[in-house]
């Protein structure tokens, strides 16, 4: 068992573990709670000033040095793997296999980013050589390269205590880019966050990086997050969380005297369009697959496919019956926090009591335990009620019965921005699929065929983002090597002597 003495209960600020006069406790599924120092705006200021001091030497490190740093962080996380898993299970209720897998994803992306920056392609280096004899005007020597933008603020996510939190994708990509990071840890899993921060601290010492390159601030009230995004030395923000919280921070970033980019991944219902021939031939298979995806991790995935759009009729009824059959034997799952369980119950009530919505399967929830819920509604009623298109964070599915193909297209056009949209289709569905593709391309960052969006590959080609409200910057991704690009800006060097150029852009 993980011993409480493994935790300091303090913040990590520029290599020092710092306490505070105010404390808070985590909310374990079982066992005793642990106490942690609560963050303050003053602690934020200390961390950010240290990050600014670290930026000068860290941004000047070689790609090889930063790659070694990332790999060392991964090694240090793996060395603490059992302790991290045990604490994660205690704080979140997630099963051991899920947390072990998530740790694998976390260290895997650190190592992937290390490999990626060593290649140098992410720098997008370009050169237009001088043309001194060109008429009517000569052309100077021009070189372009991406450079790190400065200290980055990262907000840990509640539903991914490892892959989207302290050393998750935002932190890993910012460090890969050459930007120091200040993390505002999520209060749902501060113990897990501290153990990961211990790993980063050990990697900083082992690679002799400036200690200000990473800090972790835990807990505190809203003023702590506000102080972080409004600090004049912070140059960009990464966030994964609720639409309301993310939009509030986005507005603060935009209202600064010097506005900065806010890369927020906020919410999505990830609709599936099940086309006529596919549902006629594979209703049972698609229904069972949807049920499994819908309930994975108690539905607490940002890519959870909450809506299935079908053409009304007997095949639609067979699909609904197959989904219900797959959901019925599933037992309750523990949600990440009491607040999430309450929000899920509230969201389910909104869906269940809306005009035209029919209950297919529903169970009561107690405490942090959640069971799957399934409802259906006509296309007309869905289009008439915007609330039915909003995310319910948990294992709830809504089948939208479209009266014809034209209404299916209308439903697609009415969607807000999504992380993903999915088409289930057979060869005979190609014509309708071709009609949907231009619409869905404008709606989402990732389009799937005959699959399920839960499970996001960390790779060079992944896009995890989309038009608002899926994210606040449709040109970016928070997963994959392209995520590094968020923390860089292009700079052009004109007629610059080699002696003054960065090594990566020299001849």
């Amino acid at each position: 068992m993980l011993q409480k003495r493994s935790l300091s209960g303090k913040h990590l600020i520029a290599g020092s573990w710092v306490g505070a006069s105010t404390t808070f406790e985590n909310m374990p599924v079982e066992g005793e709670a642990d106490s942690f120092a609560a963050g303050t705006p003053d602690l934020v200021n200390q961390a950010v000033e240290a990050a600014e001091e670290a930026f000068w030497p860290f941004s000047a490190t070689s790609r090889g040095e930063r790659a070694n740093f990332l790999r060392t962080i991964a090694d240090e996380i793996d060395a603490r793997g059992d302790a991290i898993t045990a604490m994660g299970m205690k704080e979140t209720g997630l099963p051991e296999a899920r947390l072990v897998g998530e740790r694998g994803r976390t260290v895997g992306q650190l190592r992937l980013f290390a490999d990626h920056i060593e290649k140098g392609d992410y720098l997008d280096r370009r050169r237009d050589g001088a043309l001194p004899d060109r008429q009517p005007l000569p052309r100077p020597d021009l070189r372009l390269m991406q450079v790190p933008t400065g200290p980055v603020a990262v907000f840990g996510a509640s539903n991914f205590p490892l892959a989207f939190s302290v050393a998750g994708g935002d932190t890993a990509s910012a460090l890969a880019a050459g930007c120091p990071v200040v993390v505002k840890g999520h209060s749902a899993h501060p113990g897990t966050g501290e153990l990961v921060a211990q790993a980063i601290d050990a990697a900083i010492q082992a690679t002799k990086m400036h200690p200000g390159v990473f800090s972790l601030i835990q807990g505190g009230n809203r003023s702590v997050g506000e102080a972080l995004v409004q600090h004049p030395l912070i140059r960009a923000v990464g966030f994964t969380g609720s639409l309301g919280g993310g939009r509030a921070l986005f507005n603060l970033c935009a209202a600064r005297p010097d506005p900065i980019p806010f890369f927020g991944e906020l919410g999505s219902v990830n609709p599936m369009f099940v086309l006529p021939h596919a549902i006629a031939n594979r209703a049972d298979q698609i229904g069972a697959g949807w049920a499994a995806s819908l309930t994975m991790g108690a539905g607490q995935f940002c890519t959870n496919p909450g809506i299935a759009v079908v053409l009304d009729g007997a095949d639609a009824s067979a699909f609904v019956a197959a989904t219900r059959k797959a959901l019925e034997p599933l037992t309750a799952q523990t949600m990440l926090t009491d607040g999430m369980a309450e929000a899920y119950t509230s969201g389910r009530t909104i869906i269940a009591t809306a005009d035209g919505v029919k209950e297919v399967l529903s169970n009561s929830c107690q405490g942090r335990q959640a069971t799957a819920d399934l409802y259906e509604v006509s296309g007309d009623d869905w289009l008439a009620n915007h609330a039915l298109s909003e995310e319910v964070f948990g294992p709830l599915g809504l089948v939208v019965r479209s009266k014809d193909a034209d209404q299916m297209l209308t439903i697609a056009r009415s969607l807000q921005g999504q992380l993903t949209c999915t088409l289930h289709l057979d060869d005979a569905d190609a014509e309708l699929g071709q009609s949907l593709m231009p619409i869905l391309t404008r709606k989402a960052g990732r389009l799937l065929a005959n699959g399920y969006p839960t499970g996001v590959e960390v790779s060079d080609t992944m896009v995890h983002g989309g038009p608002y409200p899926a994210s606040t910057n449709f040109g970016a991704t928070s997963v994959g090597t392209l995520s590094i690009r968020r923390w860089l800006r292009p700079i052009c060097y004109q007629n610059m002597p080699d002696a003054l150029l960065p090594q990566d852009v020299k001849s």
Side-chain angles (χ1 to χ4, degrees):
M1 292 294 292
L2 180 68
Q3 298 299 312
K4 194 171 182 179
R5 64 174 177 268
S6 299
L7 298 174
S8 71
K10 297 179 179 180
H11 313 284
L12 175 62
I13 300 178
S16 298
W17 293 94
V18 179
S21 58
T22 304
T23 61
F24 70 102
E25 293 185 338
N26 56 8
M27 299 176 287
V29 176
E30 57 183 29
E32 294 183 6
D34 303 291
S35 181
F36 299 87
T40 64
D42 180 62
L43 291 171
V44 167
N45 183 61
Q46 294 177 40
V48 176
E49 288 189 344
E52 173 67 14
E53 181 181 328
F55 176 71
W56 302 104
F58 187 59
S59 63
T61 55
S62 71
R63 289 179 280 118
E65 288 171 325
R66 290 201 307 282
N68 180 53
F69 179 40
L70 295 175
R71 294 186 182 112
T72 305
I73 295 174
D75 292 343
E76 293 290 350
I77 291 173
D78 275 340
R80 295 161 175 77
D82 290 345
I84 290 170
T85 298
M87 179 57 73
M89 292 170 64
K90 173 182 175 179
E91 290 186 316
T92 69
L94 293 171
E96 180 179 7
R98 155 70 192 275
L99 286 163
V100 170
E102 191 181 329
R103 188 178 85 244
R105 171 176 168 170
T106 303
V107 298
Q109 67 190 358
L110 283 160
R111 292 170 178 137
L112 173 65
F113 292 170
D115 294 342
H116 185 72
I117 63 173
E118 281 184 327
K119 297 173 185 175
D121 294 344
Y122 78 102
L123 294 170
D124 194 17
R125 289 169 288 193
R126 309 181 186 194
R127 184 177 184 184
D128 291 315
L131 298 175
D133 298 324
R134 190 183 68 174
Q135 295 297 327
L137 293 172
R139 184 176 74 188
D141 181 80
L142 301 170
R143 310 182 199 211
L144 178 148
M145 187 181 75
Q146 305 288 339
V147 298
T149 187
V152 169
V154 170
F155 287 76
S158 60
N159 59 332
F160 279 88
L162 300 176
F164 275 90
S165 290
V166 173
D170 286 347
T171 296
S173 58
L175 294 176
C179 296
V181 175
V182 178
V183 172
K184 171 66 171 65
H186 200 284
S187 58
H189 44 75
T192 309
E194 184 188 322
L195 293 174
V196 174
Q198 290 177 12
I200 299 175
D201 185 37
I204 289 171
Q205 296 177 48
T207 57
K208 296 181 170 53
M209 291 293 174
H210 189 292
V213 76
F214 174 85
S215 292
L216 171 66
I217 305 294
Q218 302 266 41
N221 57 28
R222 183 174 298 179
S223 67
V224 177
E226 293 175 349
L228 185 54
V229 302
Q230 291 182 302
H231 198 290
L233 296 177
I234 289 293
R235 305 318 307 155
V237 178
F239 174 89
T240 299
S242 69
L243 175 59
R247 184 54 195 255
L249 293 175
F250 172 83
N251 291 343
L252 288 175
C253 288
R256 288 171 41 137
D258 56 336
I260 59 173
F262 179 86
F263 298 100
E265 191 262 278
L266 307 182
S268 181
V269 295
N270 305 293
M272 303 191 319
F273 291 81
V274 189
L275 304 194
H277 293 277
I279 202 170
N281 296 328
R282 299 182 282 120
D284 288 354
Q285 176 188 341
I286 298 171
W290 185 36
S293 183
L294 190 67
T295 57
M296 184 183 295
Q300 298 168 115
F301 285 82
C302 46
T303 53
N304 189 41
I307 290 176
V309 183
V310 301
L311 292 187
D312 197 12
D315 292 333
S317 297
F319 168 72
V320 172
T323 305
R324 174 174 177 161
K325 181 180 179 181
L327 292 173
E328 281 180 327
L330 301 180
T331 57
Q333 298 181 69
T334 303
M335 299 199 77
L336 292 164
T337 67
D338 292 337
M340 285 190 180
E342 292 170 2
Y344 177 64
T345 299
S346 176
R348 183 182 62 174
T349 299
I350 291 172
I351 299 295
T353 57
D355 289 343
V357 172
K358 299 177 182 178
E359 178 185 304
V360 178
L361 176 68
S362 185
N363 298 282
S364 61
C365 298
Q366 295 184 351
R368 283 168 69 170
Q369 301 300 303
T371 52
D373 296 287
L374 183 64
Y375 300 92
E376 62 180 6
V377 67
S378 71
D380 287 340
D381 286 326
W382 190 87
L383 288 166
N385 186 350
H386 175 75
L388 297 178
S389 66
E390 295 182 354
E391 181 182 32
V392 178
F393 201 62
L396 184 146
L398 178 63
V399 179
V400 181
R401 289 178 174 258
S402 175
K403 61 187 176 184
D404 54 30
D406 285 342
Q407 188 174 66
M408 184 175 278
L409 297 176
T410 300
I411 290 169
R413 291 189 189 97
S414 74
L415 291 168
Q416 292 184 296
Q418 305 292 327
L419 293 171
T420 73
C421 288
T422 300
L423 289 171
H424 287 276
L425 73 168
D426 286 354
D427 290 344
D429 292 310
E431 184 176 354
L432 180 54
Q434 289 167 357
S435 297
L436 281 163
M437 279 296 289
I439 303 170
L440 300 184
T441 298
R442 295 189 66 185
K443 298 295 182 178
R446 178 164 58 113
L447 302 181
L448 297 83
N450 297 323
Y452 303 92
T454 41
V456 181
E457 184 71 21
V458 182
S459 68
D460 291 330
T461 52
M462 178 51 61
V463 174
H464 189 65
Y468 185 85
S471 63
T472 56
N473 190 311
F474 62 81
T477 175
S478 61
V479 177
T481 55
L482 187 61
S483 65
I484 298 171
R485 181 65 183 82
R486 296 174 295 170
W487 322 116
L488 300 168
R489 64 181 182 87
I491 185 167
C492 176
Y493 301 96
Q494 180 169 330
N495 288 336
M496 194 64 61
D498 268 12
L500 301 185
L501 286 170
Q503 185 63 41
D504 280 326
V505 80
K506 288 184 178 180
S507 302

